[in-house]
Amino acid sequence: MVKPVNAQTGREYVRNYPDSTLHVTLVAPETVRVLVVPRGANANFPRVPLVLPQPTTRDAFKLRVSKSNIDLQTSRLRLHIHNDAPAVDFYDAAGKPLSLDSGGAATVEGQQRDTRSIAPDEEFFGFGLQFHSLAQRGKTKTLKVNADPKDDKGNSHAVVPFFLSTAGYGIYLDSHAYTYFDMGQTAADSLYFQTPDPVLDYYFCYGPTFHDLLARYTQLTGRMRMPPKWGLGFWYRMKSDWKQDKVEATAREFRTRNIPCDVVGLEPKWQTHAYSCSYIWNKDQYPDPAGFVGRMRGQHYHVNLWEHAYVHPSSPIYDELEKANAVADKKVWGGLVPDWTKPEAAAIFARLHEQEHLKLGVDGYKLDECDGSDYTGGWFFPDDTHFPSGLSGAQMHNVFGYLYQKRFHEMFERRNQRSYLLCRGMFAGAQAYPTVIYSDWYGFEQYVRAAANSGFSGVLWCPEVRQTANEQEFIRRFETVFFSPLAMINAWADGVTPWEKGPEVERIFRLYAGLRMQLMPYLYSAFWQMHETGLPVVRALVMDWPHDRNTYAVDDEFMFGPSILVAPIISGTTRSIYLPTGQWTNWWTGETITGGRRINYEATPDRLPLFVRVGSIIPMQPVMSYVGEKPVDTLTLRVFPSQEPFSSVVYDDDGTTLNYVQGQNVRIHSAGAPTSKGISLSMSAPQGNYRPEWNHVQWEVQGMGIIPRRVLLGRSVLKPLASDAENAVRGYTYDATTHLLRIVVPFGKAQTIHIIS
Ligand code: GAL
């Protein structure tokens, strides 16, 4: 038997094998790092750290040595370390196998590989923003950032070497090289993953739920910072060749037509040179940049500029970047390629952007073309590029976009300012930043599948809208984009507007833009939950119903926040919708139906199928032309009561600064429960240091079959109000047609309402 060289009862276990050394580290009770260093390998090869420093866990390995195994036990896991090879088996605390190593880590054809067994009923999800499939068992994935993937081989704008298993665990392979995963294709009962890095470095996470797994993964690689509230409003990207006057007129038109809009985006031609970039205003298009941005801000628009990272010789930072030794030895579109790992590169960019744009009031960017493209060629630096930090092109490839947007967030954060960025190339770690991936290149079906897939790694995806084959598709697509992290029309090429297709399309557009605005507190609170726990705002059904096997194949529906199921109709007017176990209320009709089955659904073009999970409280606000147009005097809580107790949290803060990190925020817990006489609703006193705008709360209880006999606030009886009582501050109304009970009470103190039927 080979003797362990450094067996400790602490958090590290190290053991030598003939060909390698195994390091097993307890990161958290449910998270274990496995590092296998082949003999003679350089473990300090250049790479970008993606795992954050972790708090020291109080848990420790308990070591048991038997004849056949070394047994390491934590409060949540049991590990068996093999004697004959660097192999680690994982069991839960009760001894149930989670993932067993079949053979041990080894160097195969120059790559570091680990092979693990698959249980017969196990299914896998993950790998980032996949467009072609949801469930991954039996598939292979090569994880390379790439624009417009044409097949199901893994490459995408955002690849993430993290997968989740329905057996209750997840594995994050900590490598930003081009990694490869075989999820049971070669052998049905085993999977393997491998990296060209000199070492094999992976993190095993125990859930057991998918929500837990996202919490573990984001604990390792980062949790979402809060986006600015304005970023969650509607975005319109102007046609690239429109000049200043036309852009301003179009922005005004949103206001005069009463269509909510918060952000306008300018496309390549705002610059003197775009491929590669000068970052300097093109005076032919924008003769007066400061005046232009000032007027847009005056109309309460946020201005977002398109750019990419390749620096044209005419740019004022060209020479500076070269002198600072902060660029690669190869160019893209004749432009310098910054080495984002070098602080000098970031500082030089930040100085120019501050001076040219931020000072004027620009507060966001669309960071394009950082994903390369195998299909066009020449749109990216090649693998043999050399970066001054020591990374090769191949090592930089996957993290280039990730680092680019990270540097830009840092630029805003130094101003105590949040931004919501667009960026087309991302990797693990991207889920820590309010940056949204986009591309106008996909069919509707792929857009929706990517939305479902995005949640497995917590990246944000915008199924943006441009000109479509027909009007119906335009409508269906924009309805869907309003239920995504970023609602945008990208008219850069065609100048399509919400009104050019006539009053009916415009009406529907206004309806959905308004609904998005009404749902702002709901969406913002869902982002806060993501910030707190890693739970993605948009996610596949299987994330919430992992035990319902029917959800494994559902790639054309997704959850938008904790309560709303979105099932876009891809074409025509009908579709089959899977509703997971539980009760569901049709958002539009109020009808409640039982899930755990498929239903056939028919909807006119203006109705995006939306179902609310019964037992939900959805915080809402009035429609506004832009975020913050008016103070929100009344917080609306739309209640979809269930037979079980239910609850939710509303979150708020100033929406623009980083002060929330220091506790300038507020949480309100609301809950409901059936009682012997009816329903009780309760709300906590606000918790936190931020004072929200609300003075009143309006509870809107859905599905009240009959008028209540009494409504009590604490012990005091509330009075019925006239049904048209608009500005009432206390009392209730009941609408016998819609079965909606509306209760208005003051906001601020803990309160309980009893509805007695
Ligand atoms: C593309 C991008 C489009 C648009 C265009 C401008 O790469 O995906 O949204 O910005 O560049 O040239």
Side-chain angles (χ1 to χ4, degrees), residues 267-268 275 306 366 368-369 424 438-440 464 490 492:
E267 288 286 322
Y275 284 87
W306 175 99
K366 166 173 167 180
D368 208 25
E369 313 290 10
R424 229 176 54 190
Y438 62 93
S439 174
D440 55 359
E464 62 175 71
N490 182 7
W492 76 277

Side-chain angles (χ1 to χ4, degrees), residues 336-531:
L336 298 175
V337 182
D339 185 338
W340 292 120
T341 68
K342 300 209 53 156
E344 300 89 321
I348 292 168
F349 263 77
R351 267 201 302 279
L352 179 74
H353 283 63
E354 177 73 44
Q355 185 60 33
E356 283 289 313
H357 320 138
L358 270 53
K359 251 187 173 174
L360 275 45
V362 168
D363 53 6
Y365 293 90
K366 166 173 167 180
L367 308 175
D368 208 25
E369 313 290 10
C370 48
D371 47 2
S373 171
D374 278 358
Y375 310 105
T376 51
W379 284 17
F380 212 49
F381 47 85
D383 284 355
D384 63 359
T385 303
H386 176 79
F387 283 85
S389 54
L391 292 173
S392 67
Q395 285 161 309
M396 185 65 95
H397 185 112
N398 279 345
V399 287
F400 187 75
Y402 160 74
L403 293 170
Y404 185 12
Q405 60 86 38
K406 182 171 187 277
R407 289 303 197 185
F408 272 55
H409 275 297
E410 287 164 0
M411 174 172 84
F412 284 105
E413 286 174 359
R414 281 196 294 273
R415 302 164 59 104
N416 192 24
Q417 192 181 342
R418 298 183 216 169
S419 188
Y420 205 37
L421 302 177
L422 286 162
C423 180
R424 229 176 54 190
M426 297 285 232
F427 197 70
Q431 79 290 336
Y433 294 91
T435 304
V436 183
I437 309 150
Y438 62 93
S439 174
D440 55 359
W441 214 241
Y442 297 99
F444 192 11
E445 213 171 342
Q446 288 173 312
Y447 269 157
V448 176
R449 187 180 297 118
N453 262 322
S454 64
F456 296 121
S457 47
V459 295
L460 304 177
W461 163 243
C462 164
E464 62 175 71
V465 184
R466 63 191 277 189
Q467 196 60 273
T468 49
N470 58 57
E471 190 175 297
Q472 179 145 333
E473 188 181 333
F474 184 67
I475 297 168
R476 297 283 189 208
R477 282 202 182 204
F478 74 62
E479 288 170 354
T480 306
V481 87
F482 281 112
F483 288 83
S484 83
L486 192 149
M488 177 169 79
I489 286 190
N490 182 7
W492 76 277
D494 54 41
V496 64
T497 60
W499 49 84
E500 73 183 34
K501 293 180 195 299
E504 177 58 3
V505 178
E506 184 181 339
R507 177 190 74 79
I508 302 171
F509 195 91
R510 189 179 298 107
L511 173 79
Y512 282 84
L515 183 53
R516 170 112 177 163
M517 191 61 86
Q518 286 180 292
L519 288 170
M520 191 64 71
Y522 169 76
L523 181 55
Y524 201 57
S525 300
F527 266 99
W528 173 74
Q529 190 172 23
M530 190 171 186
H531 167 71

